[in-house]
Amino acid sequence: MAARFSRFRFATAAAGCFAGGVLFASGMDWTKISWAQSTTGNRPAVALRGPANIDGVGSFADIAERVTPGVVAVNTTRSVRPRATPRGRVPQGMEDFLEQFGGPQPRQQRGEGSGFVMSADGYIVTNNHVVADADQVSITLSDGRVFKAKVVGTDSTTDVAVVKIDARGLPTLTIGNDETTRIGEWVLAVGNPLGLDFTVTAGIISAKGRGQEINLPNSGNFTISDFIQTDAAINPGNSGGPLINMRGEVIGLNSAIASQTGFYSGYGFAIPITLVKNVTDALIKEGRVRLPVMGVSVTRVEPEDAGINGLSRVAGVKVLGFNPADGGPAKEAGIEVGDVIITVDGKPVERVSSLQRIVRQRRVGDRIPVELMR
């Protein structure tokens, strides 16, 4: 008997307190991912150059001069307690003598990162992993002034943080729209890599919607997965710095690099500015983040999944499970394990990252139509 495949529609409530984005299954661990914190013969050669004043867009030099004042260096200190020396690894009879002094004393660990000014009154955005667990945070402006900073709020699932300094009249950066950017567009990365303050590097947008392909340190089931990939050089210390388009607008927050060595190897990743803006606004206003989730664990659709579900092309995401396992909006709406989600809120779902992007544009409590194949 030939199998019959039907198309179902469900309305799900994107409800619940924010814990991250739509859950996703980890992809291939094809290279090491780390945070970006601290021709021969007679063939003609073509010299490649960046654009200069195209359709009113400034040159690299013009943009760098305009945006650098709004970029900051973030320096942190953390108290790290060394591991206690196991008994038996010190001279015999000395264990009790050493323990009376309280064991190993904490040491100060220093960290470096980047950030940018989001408001003239001192609010600055950076990465969560730059300031997480820091005892002290200081901000150095491009004019050399140094300020002590207060951490306003952090969110580990999106790797975004906001700090505040006591200053007025600061130069700010213009927020752009990452959704309208295209693969192949020129971008600049500005930050403080390897202790080299206010460094500018250039490249292009290499890809968008990167997610399952990369496994970030300390990432979990709720981690937002929708990165802009660039080949602009990003190194440790660039974390928290802006990714700038050719209009001088911020379209991403530089966060991680793909490398076997921990240094630049041609792949860098930035958090889309639309997500960063939502998170920073929430942190400033409420001190916490509440982004909507459907409560599903999903993975990309493979060719065999598309064939089984009667899809004309390989697109959509497959439901692997639910969170919480015994309930949640998606399960309550009738979605089942094995379903392939193809549209949400009337928009096509191409991959896991596009599903997250669609859902996070709604508010907690909204009801959204979900179209799927079963």
Side-chain angles (χ1 to χ4, degrees), residues 8-9 29 55 57 66-67 105-106 166 188 321 326 335 337:
F8 296 87
R9 290 179 180 271
D29 187 12
D55 296 330
V57 175
R66 188 163 77 247
V67 304
Q105 297 301 307
D166 187 11
L188 299 181
D326 58 347
I335 293 178
V337 173

Side-chain angles (χ1 to χ4, degrees), residues 22-373:
V22 178
L23 303 183
F24 69 98
S26 297
M28 296 176 60
D29 187 12
W30 48 270
T31 190
K32 179 181 179 181
I33 309 294
S34 61
W35 296 123
Q37 189 170 340
S38 199
T39 93
T40 61
N42 296 321
R43 296 179 182 176
V46 179
L48 301 179
R49 296 179 296 176
N53 299 317
I54 300 176
D55 296 330
V57 175
S59 68
F60 287 159
D62 293 336
I63 296 171
E65 184 177 1
R66 188 163 77 247
V67 304
T68 299
V71 179
V72 305
V74 182
N75 296 282
T76 63
T77 58
R78 298 173 175 84
S79 294
V80 179
R81 182 177 291 277
R83 293 181 179 178
T85 303
R87 297 181 68 91
R89 292 191 182 182
V90 296
Q92 187 175 3
M94 295 292 291
E95 295 94 338
D96 293 336
F97 174 76
L98 292 176
E99 287 182 0
Q100 67 179 313
F101 296 102
Q105 297 301 307
R107 60 182 177 85
Q108 292 296 310
Q109 182 183 71
R110 299 185 180 278
E112 296 178 340
S114 306
F116 67 88
V117 181
M118 59 183 302
S119 68
D121 59 349
Y123 284 99
I124 294 168
V125 61
T126 185
N127 282 139
N128 170 74
H129 73 263
V130 171
V131 299
D133 302 319
D135 299 318
Q136 293 183 338
V137 179
S138 66
I139 300 296
T140 303
L141 305 182
S142 62
D143 59 13
R145 289 183 292 167
V146 179
F147 295 85
K148 288 185 178 181
K150 174 185 177 182
V151 177
V152 175
T154 64
D155 181 61
S156 62
T157 59
T158 55
D159 195 29
V160 175
V162 177
V163 301
K164 177 74 165 60
I165 62 174
D166 187 11
R168 297 290 184 273
L170 298 178
T172 62
L173 299 190
T174 302
I175 302 300
N177 184 358
D178 60 89
E179 295 183 358
T180 61
T181 60
R182 299 184 301 164
I183 296 171
E185 288 186 3
W186 286 97
V187 287
L188 299 181
V190 189
N192 306 281
L194 306 174
L196 302 174
D197 293 350
F198 307 103
T199 295
V200 180
T201 58
I204 63 170
I205 295 177
S206 304
K208 296 176 66 176
R210 287 297 191 208
Q212 290 180 292
E213 302 89 339
I214 60 176
N215 294 317
L216 292 174
N218 303 318
S219 62
N221 287 335
F222 291 99
T223 304
I224 289 293
S225 175
D226 181 15
F227 290 91
I228 300 170
Q229 180 180 324
T230 180
D231 63 353
I234 295 176
N235 276 295
N238 272 115
S239 281
L243 188 68
I244 307 291
N245 65 16
M246 292 308 293
R247 284 180 286 277
E249 303 166 334
V250 183
I251 60 168
L253 186 70
N254 298 323
S255 182
I257 54 179
S259 172
Q260 295 291 344
T261 64
F263 297 95
Y264 173 71
S265 293
Y267 303 99
F269 301 96
I271 306 166
I273 197 62
T274 50
L275 173 58
V276 173
K277 188 67 167 56
N278 288 341
V279 174
T280 55
D281 287 348
L283 290 175
I284 293 173
K285 293 177 182 178
E286 303 179 25
R288 62 173 181 165
V289 177
R290 296 179 72 242
L291 294 181
V293 298
M294 288 175 55
V296 289
S297 175
V298 296
T299 188
R300 64 184 181 183
V301 168
E302 301 293 345
E304 55 269 29
D305 298 318
I308 291 173
N309 286 278
L311 299 175
S312 59
R313 61 192 183 93
V314 181
V317 296
K318 182 170 65 175
V319 177
L320 297 177
F322 304 96
N323 186 75
D326 58 347
K331 192 169 187 178
E332 292 173 0
I335 293 178
E336 299 178 2
V337 173
D339 289 346
V340 175
I341 298 174
I342 54 179
T343 73
V344 171
D345 205 17
K347 301 173 183 178
V349 174
E350 302 289 339
R351 54 201 302 178
V352 175
S353 58
S354 59
L355 175 59
Q356 291 185 332
R357 180 179 287 267
I358 295 168
V359 171
R360 74 175 183 239
Q361 290 174 343
R362 302 302 296 265
R363 295 181 178 181
V364 173
D366 284 353
R367 298 182 65 84
I368 55 176
V370 175
E371 187 176 12
L372 54 84
M373 295 295 294

